Amino acid sequence: MANSRTSGPFKEYATVDTPPDGLGYFTNEVNLRALRKVNKETRVYFSIREYEADSSEASDTSSMVVTLQFKCDGDLGWQDYVPLDGSALAVGNRVMIEDAGAGVLWRAGVKDYEYTSGSITFGFDW
């Protein structure tokens, strides 16, 4: 398989199962304010999951780091999101993103040097 994106009316996901090229492999960007305004979506969730059909039966768990990023209006590049408690995002996380800032975009991905092994799916749904 190769790294892939899955987009739909209620989701924006990526699956990484091979080392990313370039600077990494990311979801398409998501504008939470636009979702709220146009689609009347009030909750957007971010999750990281093993790609295995049943991860409890997986012989090995995946080893890679998923980075959640945001970009504010006028920013030249993406900023890594850091939880206020200093924790790290991990497989099995599912969190609600509360942000309706004007012009703020979100994406998630695996940087080119953060992949070791395995296959995971991550991204946004609403």
Side-chain angles (χ1 to χ4, degrees):
M1 200 169 134
N3 298 335
S4 61
R5 288 184 190 89
T6 306
S7 299
F10 303 105
K11 65 183 177 186
E12 203 54 70
Y13 292 132
T15 298
V16 171
D17 58 7
T18 59
D21 293 330
L23 298 176
Y25 196 82
F26 291 83
T27 62
N28 292 317
E29 58 191 38
V30 175
N31 183 326
L32 279 62
R33 185 178 181 122
L35 287 173
R36 180 172 286 191
K37 185 175 181 179
V38 176
N39 297 1
K40 308 296 185 229
E41 299 296 341
T42 58
R43 294 190 176 128
V44 175
Y45 297 91
F46 171 74
S47 61
I48 306 171
R49 304 163 326 269
E50 290 283 351
Y51 183 72
E52 298 273 343
D54 181 359
S55 63
S56 66
E57 298 294 324
S59 58
D60 285 323
T61 55
S62 298
S63 179
M64 66 187 87
V65 176
V66 174
T67 301
L68 182 60
Q69 296 182 328
F70 65 93
K71 183 166 61 170
C72 295
D73 190 32
D75 288 355
L76 298 178
W78 291 93
Q79 175 66 53
D80 291 356
Y81 170 80
V82 178
L84 292 175
D85 64 4
S87 63
L89 297 169
V91 172
N93 282 155
R94 183 164 172 81
V95 296
M96 185 170 66
I97 305 215
E98 299 182 76
D99 186 352
V104 179
L105 303 174
W106 289 83
R107 72 177 188 175
V110 175
K111 296 177 182 175
D112 60 338
Y113 56 87
E114 296 285 7
Y115 176 90
T116 303
S117 65
S119 180
I120 60 171
T121 297
F122 52 88
F124 307 90
D125 56 75
W126 52 88

